[in-house]
Amino acid sequence: MTQRFLRDSDVIETSGRLPVLPLRDVVLFPHVAMPLLVGRTGSLAALESAEASDKLVLLLTQRDSSVQDPAAADLFRVGTLGRVLQFTRLPNGAARVLVEGLARAQVTKFVAGAKLLRAEARPYPFTVAPGDGVEDEARKALALFEEYVTHHRRLPPEVTSLVQAASSVERQGCGIAAHLALRHETRQTLLEAPRLVDLFRALTELTAGETELLRLERKIEDDVRGSLFQNQREFYLQEQLRAIHRELGDEETDDLADLEAQLNARQMPEQARGRADRELRRLRRMSPMSPEAAVARNYVEWIAALPWSERTDDMLDVTRARAILDEDHHGLDEVKERIVDYIAVLSLVGKLEGPILCLVGPPGVGKTSLGRSVARALGRKFVRMSLGGVRDEAEIRGHRRTYIGALPGRILQAMRRAESVNPVILLDEVDKLGADWRGDPSAALLEVLDPEQNRAFNDHFLEVDYDLSQVLFLTTANTLGGIPEPLRDRMEIIRLPGYLDQEKIAIAQKHLIPRQFAQHGIAPSSVQWAPDALPALLRQYTREAGVRELERRIARLARKLARRRAERPAEQAPQDTIAAADLHAMLGAAPYDPDEVTLEDRVGVAQGLAYTQVGGELLEIEVSVVPGRGRVMLTGTLGDVMKESASAALSYIRSRAEVLGVPTDFARTRDVHVHLPAGATPKDGPSAGIALAAAIVSALTGTPVRGDVAMTGEITLRGRVLPIGGLKEKAVAAHRNHVSHVIVPAANVRDLEELPEDVRATVRFHPVKTMDEVLAIALRTLPVPAAAPVPAPRKRRGADDGTRGDTAVPPPVTH
């Protein structure tokens, strides 16, 4: 059946069945000519049939391009009627053909032949309705297509002119669709558009998207090209600068040659030298502008800067070392003895590995400055490394070089600063290490502080073994509670108690006053101190285990003296005297009352001893008993352990109420209120157990507790007294507060030998095993059992004349 296809004003008649030319990944639009390379048998047969007749062929796109011999079901139903303009056979059997699209066609029936596929098709023109705005849509599409061509690198600008010069709107739409880089499925959708306005709308949307992609690609290419141009420009300018230096005769030596010379100067292990040489060879092959070159260079510089065999000569004169330690610090005999022992052994064997000392004590007692003094006594370099607040494990072991800005850890940084393999490294505030998701720094320190492992310390940045066995490590801490047990096991613990008053006075006269007065421009010899000035300054203006607050007060005195001299006439001699009466005018009101701690006998008040981060403290325990229903109130910000100690003391008293002279029904008829001032200060621990029991017994029986007695020890339900910790600090606190008797657990007698001589000379220690012994010493009179008649109270002779009562007290044990 003959079909008539319209092309503009021309009419094209087809005779019945048309030969079908299947297309793979290609869609031919009307009014567009396209060259094709044909090689399949069926396609060649279709072209030969068209050449033999009217040169008309039906071009249909395959649904799946991988099908070699497509059947009717493999082809789209809408295609293009085309005319063969050129047909050329090639030597390999294929053919090159030029086909012109004439009009859209829709297949109504496929007819399979022996060699080729034919189809009956009818015209499928674009429909145009009046007022559908096809001209407006065409203008939009043409404007976007023009921008698309400007960004497309493979389309010449003439394409835009050819499309715009088309004789009809349909030709323009087909021309745009033919030149867009789209998938064949999308092209087929455009070809099947029922209306011309739908075609232009789809073209507008697709062209806008493709244009945006091309614009982004152009921008990226321009940026890359600009970066490459900048790198080439910098390289060119660097080469020019080198040439200028050569002409001027001041060419700098090759940096890599300098690095190699530094490596040659270091006597490093074979493993480290091999790694450094490999990195240096890589660095020579890299461009200086490469980011990897900066990483490799930094690595080689660090290896070249670390000390591998350089060491300082130890000064092994024991007498000289002791003189230096005594010159820098007053007291601290245990630490000095340990350092002198180390120097003595070192002088005999030449090398001693493994001494890792941990100085534990309150702030201000000289732990950090002692490390510097030890380094001076040994003649070694000194490096201080603060660990307070460190939370990242990489701070100790370094960062891996995969990270930008990676560096070795603080240990190797300290070795680089020391410039020797045997420095004294002080790890300050080791008890204040933190831990989070980045790791545990205290775990990383296990290798550093282990003599069996630190000879092959491996930093994540260097990735080669480094010997730390010749380093003398000193660590400092305020308490042992913040140090993990595995880390504590690797260190030798040396406790530094707080200074006694006479030691503080000696430190002030020997160190603090000369240093502060010299810093403020005052000659120490021009200031006379009255005998009562320094003791009053200690008792009224400081209350600490160390001497930091004392030094601040002395600095304030120096500023007042400097101002006084600045206001004084120049002809007047610069001589000043400081007495105790002058402190109020120069320092203001005293923050502490020296008479605040009373040593009077009181009912329901006992003196306990506490250990804090700033040293030992005297802990006053108050108990009040009032009529009630047996309630027990514990106040003063007490922790769980201290509350449990109070409960144990009450249970002990109830079980022995008759023997202690306590009313047996007090648990039902009396309310007991236990308070530990100051209320805002948290308190915890078991060592106040016997003091709590003594105060409660005193309040229930009306028997006063001796004011000159302080006590520390844990109590059990059976009345046994268990050992406690921190006895040295607690004993110093008792001495500082002029307490003359201290009750301690019998198991702590071995610790009394470590106390300072002045403390043992002025304080009498009473070792006890049971609570009965505690009450016999602590109470002014022994409780009368409830079954016996209660004697009339007698007057205490010590109330007026300051002497002790005549009650028999077990003889104390003095150590």
Side-chain angles (χ1 to χ4, degrees):
M1 183 176 63
T2 303
Q3 295 286 348
R4 293 185 176 183
F5 292 83
L6 292 178
R7 185 190 184 196
D8 297 335
S9 59
D10 299 335
V11 178
I12 302 172
E13 294 185 355
T14 62
S15 57
R17 299 170 181 174
L18 296 170
V20 176
L21 178 60
L23 301 178
R24 286 193 291 191
D25 297 332
V26 175
V27 176
L28 178 64
F29 285 90
H31 316 293
V32 176
M34 177 183 294
L36 299 173
L37 185 63
V38 181
R40 291 185 290 186
T41 305
S43 300
L44 291 174
L47 290 175
E48 291 174 350
S49 174
E51 280 287 318
S53 59
D54 52 4
K55 296 189 176 183
L56 295 179
V57 65
L58 183 62
L59 296 99
L60 298 176
T61 303
Q62 294 181 203
R63 299 179 185 274
D64 186 1
S65 60
S66 62
V67 178
Q68 183 65 24
D69 295 320
D74 299 322
L75 302 175
F76 288 104
R77 308 287 291 189
V78 176
T80 303
L81 176 66
R83 178 184 288 118
V84 179
L85 301 180
Q86 293 180 5
F87 180 77
T88 306
R89 281 282 189 174
L90 298 177
N92 59 358
R96 183 181 291 112
V97 61
L98 179 62
V99 182
E100 179 187 12
L102 301 178
R104 291 201 307 175
Q106 185 177 28
V107 176
T108 58
K109 181 180 178 181
F110 283 103
V111 179
K115 295 183 178 180
L116 58 91
L117 181 66
R118 294 181 178 271
E120 296 179 1
R122 64 180 180 84
Y124 188 59
F126 289 106
T127 59
V128 179
D132 58 1
V134 65
E135 290 82 3
D136 295 337
E137 294 295 336
R139 281 193 296 269
K140 292 180 185 179
L142 284 172
L144 289 172
F145 180 69
E146 183 177 1
E147 185 179 1
Y148 173 83
V149 173
T150 58
H151 288 89
H152 204 292
R153 299 184 181 277
R154 298 182 180 179
L155 292 178
E158 293 79 7
V159 173
T160 306
S161 302
L162 292 175
V163 173
Q164 291 176 345
S167 58
S168 65
V169 178
E170 180 180 339
R171 285 177 175 267
Q172 291 177 343
C174 293
I176 294 174
H179 288 91
L180 290 180
L182 303 172
R183 294 177 58 87
H184 73 277
E185 294 89 348
T186 306
R187 290 172 175 269
Q188 183 66 31
T189 303
L190 294 175
L191 182 63
E192 295 178 358
R195 299 187 304 165
L196 190 59
V197 67
D198 295 335
L199 173 64
F200 278 107
R201 287 173 181 170
L203 288 175
T204 300
E205 182 179 353
L206 293 171
T207 307
E210 293 296 321
T211 303
E212 187 64 29
L213 289 176
L214 290 175
R215 186 184 296 111
L216 182 60
E217 291 178 0
R218 176 67 65 89
K219 181 179 181 301
I220 294 174
E221 291 177 0
D222 292 342
D223 291 344
V224 173
R225 187 182 298 108
S227 176
L228 292 175
F229 175 74
Q230 180 67 20
N231 291 338
Q232 293 172 353
R233 179 175 177 273
E234 291 178 359
F235 178 78
Y236 178 70
L237 292 177
Q238 289 285 353
E239 292 298 325
Q240 280 190 329
L241 188 61
R242 291 196 183 109
I244 292 173
H245 281 301
R246 281 197 299 270
E247 292 298 327
L248 293 176
D250 58 352
E251 181 184 6
E252 298 180 358
T253 57
D254 187 7
D255 291 343
L256 298 183
D258 290 344
L259 280 178
E260 188 173 7
Q262 294 177 25
L263 292 176
N264 293 331
R266 300 286 188 186
Q267 297 179 4
M268 60 183 66
E270 182 179 353
Q271 178 191 11
R273 183 55 193 266
R275 186 65 180 271
D277 289 341
R278 278 201 309 274
E279 292 294 329
L280 192 60
R281 287 194 296 270
R282 288 183 60 241
L283 187 58
R284 292 185 186 277
R285 293 193 297 267
M286 292 180 187
S287 168
M289 309 307 297
S290 171
E292 186 67 21
V295 176
R297 182 185 183 88
N298 188 34
Y299 179 83
V300 177
E301 287 177 349
W302 265 100
I303 288 187
L306 284 174
W308 295 92
S309 58
E310 296 78 11
R311 56 178 293 121
T312 56
D313 295 331
D314 291 331
M315 298 181 182
L316 305 179
D317 188 349
V318 176
T319 305
R320 173 185 174 276
R322 183 62 192 236
I324 291 177
L325 294 175
D326 290 337
E327 176 186 348
D328 293 344
H329 292 82
H330 184 83
L332 306 180
D333 292 331
E334 183 180 357
V335 187
K336 294 177 181 178
E337 288 293 331
R338 182 65 183 85
I339 298 301
V340 171
D341 293 345
Y342 170 76
I343 295 175
V345 175
L346 196 62
S347 64
L348 296 177
V349 300
K351 183 179 181 181
L352 182 61
E353 299 178 358
I356 297 171
L357 308 181
C358 180
L359 310 180
V360 181
V365 297
K367 301 184 296 296
T368 303
S369 59
L370 187 62
R372 187 175 288 104
S373 180
V374 169
R376 191 163 75 92
L378 285 171
R380 294 187 178 187
K381 300 289 186 65
F382 175 75
V383 180
R384 174 183 171 273
M385 188 171 68
S386 178
L387 299 179
V390 173
R391 293 180 174 273
D392 191 355
E393 176 259 351
E395 292 282 343
I396 305 299
R397 300 184 63 90
H399 298 81
R400 300 193 183 276
R401 285 189 292 158
T402 53
Y403 298 104
I404 297 176
L407 285 174
R410 293 194 180 192
I411 299 297
L412 290 190
Q413 293 181 27
M415 296 301 296
R416 180 175 181 175
R417 293 197 304 271
E419 298 179 347
S420 68
V421 296
N422 61 337
V424 175
I425 295 183
L426 179 71
L427 305 179
D428 211 1
E429 310 292 352
V430 73
D431 59 328
K432 297 176 179 60
L433 285 169
D436 58 11
W437 56 270
R438 290 169 290 188
D440 187 358
S442 62
L445 280 177
L446 296 178
E447 180 183 3
V448 177
L449 299 182
D450 192 339
E452 299 298 327
Q453 301 181 39
N454 62 12
R455 64 179 65 251
F457 174 69
N458 196 288
D459 188 273
H460 288 163
F461 181 83
L462 288 188
E463 296 179 339
V464 294
D465 292 340
Y466 190 85
D467 187 5
L468 296 175
S469 61
Q470 301 182 54
V471 179
L472 175 59
F473 286 103
L474 298 177
T475 64
T476 69
N478 294 130
T479 61
L480 290 176
I483 305 177
E485 187 63 33
L487 185 59
R488 191 188 313 174
D489 183 62
R490 284 164 168 77
M491 301 183 293
E492 180 180 344
I493 307 299
I494 299 179
R495 292 186 175 273
L496 305 182
Y499 290 117
L500 306 178
D501 286 354
Q502 57 268 32
E503 292 177 329
K504 292 182 180 180
I505 292 175
I507 292 171
Q509 293 173 342
K510 186 178 179 181
H511 300 284
L512 304 184
I513 293 176
R515 180 166 65 236
Q516 288 299 327
F517 279 19
Q519 290 179 1
H520 291 82
I522 300 175
S525 59
S526 65
V527 180
Q528 299 296 325
W529 289 79
D532 60 345
L534 278 177
L537 182 63
L538 283 176
R539 291 194 300 269
Q540 301 178 26
Y541 289 90
T542 65
R543 184 164 294 177
E544 58 177 345
V547 293
R548 283 180 180 165
E549 181 63 23
L550 177 61
E551 185 171 12
R552 283 192 287 268
R553 295 291 180 178
I554 293 174
R556 187 172 180 182
L557 286 174
R559 290 192 294 271
K560 295 296 183 181
L561 292 176
R563 178 180 175 182
R564 182 185 300 176
R565 294 188 178 187
E567 296 173 349
R568 185 182 301 167
E571 61 274 6
Q572 188 172 349
Q575 288 292 333
D576 294 282
T577 301
I578 300 178
D582 302 326
L583 296 179
H584 184 275
M586 302 178 74
L587 299 179
Y592 305 107
D593 184 2
D595 299 326
E596 180 182 356
V597 179
T598 177
L599 300 181
E600 296 180 355
D601 299 349
R602 289 175 290 178
V603 176
V605 179
Q607 303 285 0
L609 293 171
Y611 174 70
T612 67
Q613 290 189 356
V614 296
E617 292 289 343
L618 204 63
L619 187 67
E620 192 174 79
I621 300 174
E622 300 176 347
V623 178
S624 176
V625 178
V626 295
R629 298 180 179 179
R631 291 188 304 166
V632 178
M633 291 178 289
L634 304 174
T635 58
T637 318
L638 308 184
D640 293 338
V641 178
M642 185 167 285
K643 291 179 181 178
E644 292 173 359
S645 296
S647 299
L650 280 169
S651 298
Y652 162 76
I653 294 171
R654 291 178 61 183
S655 66
R656 293 178 56 83
E658 294 183 359
V659 177
L660 298 177
V662 176
T664 56
D665 60 346
F666 82 93
R668 298 188 302 272
T669 62
R670 309 286 180 88
D671 288 346
V672 180
H673 185 177
V674 180
H675 180 69
L676 280 75
T681 304
K683 310 167 192 70
D684 203 1
S687 64
I690 63 172
L692 287 167
I696 295 174
V697 170
S698 172
L700 290 172
T701 61
T703 306
V705 180
R706 292 174 54 185
D708 60 346
V709 173
M711 59 198 80
T712 178
E714 181 180 352
I715 188 175
T716 69
L717 294 176
R718 301 296 182 185
R720 293 187 299 119
V721 180
L722 302 183
I724 45 84
L727 181 60
K728 182 183 295 186
E729 289 79 5
K730 294 176 181 179
V732 171
H735 172 81
R736 186 167 60 245
N737 290 277
H738 308 289
V739 174
S740 55
H741 298 273
V742 175
I743 301 174
V744 298
N748 287 109
V749 172
R750 57 182 178 270
D751 299 329
L752 297 179
E753 298 179 358
E754 301 178 2
L755 299 181
E757 184 64 32
D758 292 341
V759 175
R760 288 185 289 168
T762 57
V763 179
R764 302 181 68 183
F765 294 90
H766 303 266
V768 295
K769 294 183 179 180
T770 65
M771 192 64 205
D772 292 341
E773 300 177 48
V774 174
L775 296 177
I777 300 171
L779 299 183
R780 179 57 64 182
T781 59
L782 292 176
V784 178
V790 180
R794 61 183 176 181
K795 182 180 177 181
R796 214 171 6 97
R797 292 192 305 172
D800 297 326
D801 56 7
T803 61
R804 292 181 50 188
D806 54 1
T807 303
V809 176
V813 180
T814 305
H815 294 271

